[in-house]
Amino acid sequence: EYLDRLRCDPEEVEALRNDLLIGVTSFFREPGAFENLRGAVIAPLVSDRTEGEPIRIWIPGCGTGEEAYSVAMLLHAEMRKQQKNFPLQIFASDIDENALEKARLGRYSAEAVDAVPEQYRRDAFGPVDGHFLVAKHLRDSIVFSCQNLVSDPPFSRLDLVSCRNVLIYLQSEAQRKVISLFAFALVPGAHLFLGKSDSISGRDDLFQLVDKDARIFRRRASAKPNITDFPLAPSAETRAAPRGAMAAGAIKPLSLAHINQEVLLEHYKAAVVIVDARGKILHFFGDATRFLQLPTGEADLDILAMARDRLGLKLRPALHRVTDGEAMAHIHDVPLRRNGDTFRANVTLRPLHPEGWHEPLVAIIFEEVDSSGDEAPVNTELGRDEVVRELERELAATKNELQATYEQFETSNEELKAANEEVMSMNEELQSANEELETSKEELQSINEELTTVNNQLSEKVDELGTTNNDLANLLNATPVAVVFLDQNMRIKRFTPKATDLFNLIPEDAGRPIEHISQKFAGVNIVDDARGVMAHLNTVEREVHTQDAWYLVRLLPYRTIDNRIEGVVAVFQDVTMHKVRQRLAITALDIMRRPAIVVDRNRSVVQVNESAREMLGYGHREIEGAAFHRLRGEDWNRPALRRLLDQAFDGVAGESPETLRIASPDQGEVAYRVRVTPSTGDAQSVWFVIVTLAPQDE
């Protein structure tokens, strides 16, 4: 039932996979072993390395990264101690993507960091929100990648492989192959660091023990790791094979022995050797030493090199015929010598097609011919003619063998010529590919330099941005002006602390529409005005008041540096004191004998005293809010009087050089001198001006 569930529930498969993965690790696990690693490997490695030459390290089965960061701490500490600086390339791999995400983040609890020795902890971690974050220089020296140790390609040209407490979870055959892979990945003389329970699985030919307690090994310079068995994972072709089928490289000697036994059932007196299409011996059964001999020099399992006397000359064409599709080949009555004795043998070559084997195999069956009853040994009593016939038969057989050898030589020569042409062609292609690789290498080097430059520039920009953000945050917190920034959808982007006096805002309101926030003032609909600013790209000014204060609201478009409109800025300036001064000034005007008029920045009449109303003949409601330049008579719209008002709003008081003639109901037309006075002497605070009129004869 559970198997059926796994077939239809991918999430359950992932959960089962995560349960099977073992994530037991910690910083400096077995501290004594790491101390021995520092003294025996890290310190000499740093000492012997020249400037600019990188140190390359591989940490398979890194889990959540503690082991990788531990090795990085040792390296950085040793470089500081020896006052050296060169690139570190630490490749940390694991099959668990979730663990790798934690490793890349480099964020660990206080309990986990307690295992780090004090001399490394100060430079390796920084406290962040109750946790500890690995320092940037350590994280930059490690590349975390998802990798299956027994199926994915390994790294190469490594100075150290640290694979601790991983091999114990593999079967012995996989352990041996992984150890061979480590030997391939390491440069001669480099080191392998294993866990307390791990071993090199008897591969003393590849590694030499350096420290038994710390499980440190050195790769032998003479080691010849065999990596032809990798990858261990089944290929797509193998997975598509029927149940029970095996890849060619995965057939075990036991299966060959089984094949051999089946053949021997038919040839129970024979010695059988199984070879591949190239003549390499894969399995022996029975005593084949009467027919084969060990060659001198380098060990070689070539059947043609091991065949006695001239048997190899006869085997070669027969092997070619069988591998080319012939059902079976026979070689009869071959004379052989062994230890001074002469005997004859029959040889049968039979093709084999075992299930799952992707190339033809050949069973070579050697059978000694029993000549004791049929033939008498040749002696001096044989007649001359019989001897001649025997010699002629041997000569004819020799000619046939020489002819076959010559034909085979001609065929081989043509094949060699064709192969030579292919090799030449491949050599040219490789030369071209090498040139392209050199060009690509130069381009990559150039790109790498550009990326380094861009990275430095980005780092500088990030620092500048951080400084700018800090300055902006302090500016907004320190400003006494209420400012609210809105985006194009009327959502709050940010606001100054003073804005809470006008809106019921809290820090979490960032991102909410402004219309959802209640306001504490009356006199304006901020949302409608803001939308009008977005629609017309103009500036809107309004006066609003709360229970305690008056504010001048200025709404203007939010423009980016490249002049794009991305919202609205609402600035609320406290004008309470100006309002108080305006009220006091208006009160003072009422007791003045001369006509006086108060004008605001919009050139509208705010207030007039009793003398001015009598002079102009207006009532209270008629005069307040009227345009100053449209009062009775054309004289109010003179250019000189307009300039005088503009100067007053810039903070400069003045008197018009021209008189203003006003028709009085009871006195007729009277000429008045006009004087304009700003509310204060500060141009930045001028909100209204006072226009006083004095008769010309006074």
Side-chain angles (χ1 to χ4, degrees):
E1 292 176 358
Y2 188 67
L3 180 59
D4 292 338
R5 179 178 177 183
L6 289 175
R7 287 170 175 161
C8 63
D9 188 354
E11 293 183 359
E12 182 64 22
V13 175
E14 184 67 19
L16 177 60
R17 173 183 177 274
N18 292 333
D19 284 343
L20 292 175
L21 295 176
I22 300 172
V24 179
T25 184
S26 63
F27 289 105
F28 292 91
R29 191 178 182 184
E30 300 169 10
F34 273 91
E35 182 60 27
N36 291 354
L37 177 69
R38 185 199 62 79
V41 179
I42 300 297
L45 186 61
V46 174
S47 176
D48 296 339
R49 193 55 45 106
T50 58
E51 294 288 339
E53 185 180 0
I55 289 181
R56 294 169 57 84
I57 296 174
W58 180 22
I59 304 177
C62 67
T64 50
E66 286 88 337
E67 180 182 343
Y69 287 123
S70 299
V71 174
M73 291 180 212
L74 291 177
L75 283 164
H76 280 278
E78 194 62 36
M79 283 195 299
R80 288 194 300 270
K81 180 179 178 181
Q82 298 188 24
Q83 297 182 351
K84 286 190 173 184
N85 186 22
F86 36 73
L88 293 181
Q89 298 175 355
I90 302 177
F91 308 100
S93 62
D94 199 279
I95 199 173
D96 188 352
E97 188 63 46
N98 294 328
L100 290 174
E101 288 298 325
K102 297 179 182 178
R104 294 187 186 103
L105 185 62
R107 185 184 179 97
Y108 299 96
S109 64
E111 292 78 9
V113 175
D114 284 342
V116 180
E118 182 63 29
Q119 66 267 30
Y120 305 125
R121 191 187 312 165
R122 291 190 299 270
D123 296 323
F125 296 95
V128 176
D129 297 334
H131 290 74
F132 287 86
L133 190 66
V134 177
K136 185 177 184 297
H137 68 279
L138 289 179
R139 283 184 285 144
D140 290 346
S141 61
I142 303 176
V143 177
F144 291 98
S145 62
C146 187
Q147 182 190 45
N148 189 327
L149 177 60
V150 296
S151 66
D152 293 337
F155 297 95
S156 61
R157 298 181 292 108
L158 301 172
D159 301 296
L160 171 65
V161 172
S162 176
C163 182
R164 311 196 71 236
N165 303 307
V166 175
L167 298 179
I168 57 176
Y169 301 109
L170 304 180
Q171 295 181 356
S172 58
E173 182 67 19
Q175 286 187 20
R176 291 177 59 83
K177 292 180 179 180
V178 170
I179 291 297
S180 179
L181 181 142
F182 288 160
F184 166 78
L186 290 165
V187 298
H191 291 82
L192 173 64
F193 184 34
L194 299 179
K196 181 172 60 176
S197 302
D198 295 328
S199 69
I200 59 172
S201 301
R203 299 308 304 266
D204 296 328
D205 58 322
L206 302 178
F207 290 97
Q208 175 186 359
L209 180 64
V210 175
D211 190 318
K212 181 178 180 181
D213 294 333
R215 311 300 295 162
I216 300 174
F217 301 85
R218 180 186 296 112
R219 182 194 186 277
R220 295 182 185 273
S222 60
K224 295 182 179 180
N226 180 16
I227 62 165
T228 58
D229 293 331
F230 287 93
L232 294 179
S235 63
E237 183 180 6
T238 306
R239 287 193 295 268
R243 183 182 297 271
M246 301 172 66
I251 288 189
K252 299 182 180 179
L254 181 60
S255 62
L256 296 177
H258 180 70
I259 296 170
N260 235 339
Q261 291 168 8
E262 291 182 351
V263 176
L264 280 175
L265 291 176
E266 301 177 12
H267 306 274
Y268 61 91
K269 290 183 178 180
V272 182
V273 176
I274 295 180
V275 300
D276 61 14
R278 296 177 298 277
K280 180 181 179 182
I281 298 175
L282 302 178
H283 196 270
F284 294 96
F285 197 94
D287 184 10
T289 57
R290 291 178 58 80
F291 313 98
L292 305 176
Q293 61 183 358
L294 296 177
T296 58
E298 186 176 354
D300 191 357
L301 290 178
D302 188 352
I303 187 68
L304 302 177
M306 295 179 67
R308 290 184 178 275
D309 300 335
R310 291 182 298 173
L311 179 57
L313 297 177
K314 297 177 179 293
L315 280 176
R316 186 185 300 275
L319 183 61
H320 277 291
R321 291 199 304 273
V322 173
T323 55
D324 287 343
E326 189 171 318
M328 195 174 294
H330 300 278
I331 305 174
H332 295 287
D333 204 22
V334 181
L336 299 174
R337 291 180 178 274
R338 184 175 183 269
N339 297 332
D341 296 331
T342 301
F343 63 97
R344 293 180 178 275
N346 291 334
V347 183
T348 301
L349 289 82
R350 173 182 168 183
L352 301 174
H353 300 284
E355 184 180 9
W357 197 280
H358 302 296
E359 63 176 341
L361 300 181
V362 179
I364 302 178
I365 303 141
F366 298 93
E367 296 178 285
E368 186 175 346
V369 176
D370 186 4
S371 59
S372 59
D374 298 333
E375 298 182 7
V378 178
N379 52 43
T380 56
E381 296 178 359
L382 289 174
R384 183 180 181 85
D385 294 339
E386 185 67 25
V387 172
V388 170
R389 283 194 296 271
E390 179 67 21
L391 291 175
E392 286 177 349
R393 283 196 299 269
E394 290 186 3
L395 180 59
T398 302
K399 286 182 178 179
N400 292 334
E401 292 176 3
L402 288 175
Q403 181 64 28
T405 302
Y406 178 76
E407 292 175 356
Q408 183 178 350
F409 173 77
E410 286 293 327
T411 303
S412 300
N413 189 38
E414 293 177 0
E415 292 176 353
L416 286 174
K417 288 181 179 179
N420 185 53
E421 293 177 358
E422 292 180 1
V423 169
M424 293 295 293
S425 176
M426 292 176 60
N427 187 45
E428 294 176 358
E429 293 177 0
L430 288 174
Q431 183 67 25
S432 176
N434 186 49
E435 294 175 357
E436 293 177 0
L437 287 174
E438 287 294 330
T439 304
S440 300
K441 180 181 177 182
E442 295 175 358
E443 293 176 355
L444 287 174
Q445 182 66 25
S446 176
I447 293 173
N448 187 48
E449 293 175 357
E450 294 178 4
L451 288 175
T452 302
T453 303
V454 172
N455 187 46
N456 293 334
Q457 293 175 350
L458 287 176
S459 180
E460 294 176 359
K461 293 296 183 183
V462 168
D463 293 339
E464 293 177 3
L465 182 60
T467 302
T468 303
N469 284 335
N470 292 333
D471 293 344
L472 180 59
N474 283 278
L475 175 63
L476 293 178
N477 290 331
T479 182
V481 179
V483 182
V484 179
F485 297 90
L486 306 176
D487 63 13
Q488 295 176 343
N489 298 318
M490 299 296 111
R491 296 180 180 272
I492 299 172
K493 296 171 63 175
R494 67 173 58 188
F495 54 87
T496 62
K498 191 67 175 176
T500 56
D501 294 343
L502 294 148
F503 296 91
N504 291 312
L505 288 168
I506 58 176
E508 289 74 15
D509 287 333
R512 292 182 58 190
I514 186 65
E515 58 189 348
H516 292 179
I517 308 300
S518 61
Q519 61 189 38
K520 302 178 182 179
F521 56 86
V524 67
N525 188 326
I526 192 73
V527 178
D528 292 343
D529 284 346
R531 286 173 177 161
V533 170
M534 280 292 298
H536 303 98
L537 302 181
N538 59 343
T539 300
V540 175
E541 290 186 356
R542 297 280 190 272
E543 282 190 0
V544 300
H545 62 87
T546 64
Q547 293 182 350
D548 305 320
W550 281 81
Y551 292 89
L552 177 67
V553 184
R554 183 178 293 109
L555 298 170
L556 60 157
Y558 182 102
R559 297 179 184 271
T560 62
I561 295 177
D562 52 355
N563 203 31
R564 289 185 293 108
I565 306 300
E566 293 190 352
V568 175
V569 181
V571 182
F572 296 79
Q573 185 171 356
D574 191 341
V575 295
T576 304
M577 291 305 299
H578 299 294
K579 283 291 183 181
V580 172
R581 292 171 183 168
Q582 180 181 354
R583 296 298 182 190
L584 291 175
I586 291 173
T587 303
L589 290 178
D590 287 338
I591 62 175
M592 290 179 61
R593 183 172 59 85
R594 293 178 179 176
I597 304 171
V598 179
V599 182
D600 64 13
R601 298 180 66 88
N602 294 323
R603 306 318 190 253
S604 297
V605 176
V606 177
Q607 182 70 30
V608 296
N609 62 2
E610 188 65 26
S611 298
R613 279 194 300 272
E614 293 177 354
M615 177 191 67
L616 296 172
Y618 283 111
H620 283 284
R621 295 184 178 180
E622 294 177 300
I623 191 67
E624 292 181 2
F628 178 78
H629 298 299
R630 293 183 180 178
L631 294 176
R632 289 175 179 166
E634 294 296 330
D635 289 347
W636 296 96
N637 198 25
R638 290 180 181 176
L641 188 54
R642 284 180 173 273
R643 287 194 299 272
L644 199 63
L645 282 176
D646 293 339
Q647 293 174 1
F649 279 108
D650 289 335
V652 180
E655 184 173 333
S656 174
E658 302 175 0
T659 59
L660 184 66
R661 295 186 175 274
I662 300 174
S664 174
D666 53 354
Q667 299 179 8
E669 189 177 79
V670 179
Y672 290 93
R673 299 192 311 275
V674 181
R675 181 170 183 82
V676 180
T677 306
S679 60
T680 68
D682 185 1
Q684 297 299 325
S685 302
V686 177
W687 295 98
F688 59 91
V689 298
I690 302 173
V691 180
T692 55
L693 305 175
Q696 185 178 12
D697 55 359
E698 290 186 4

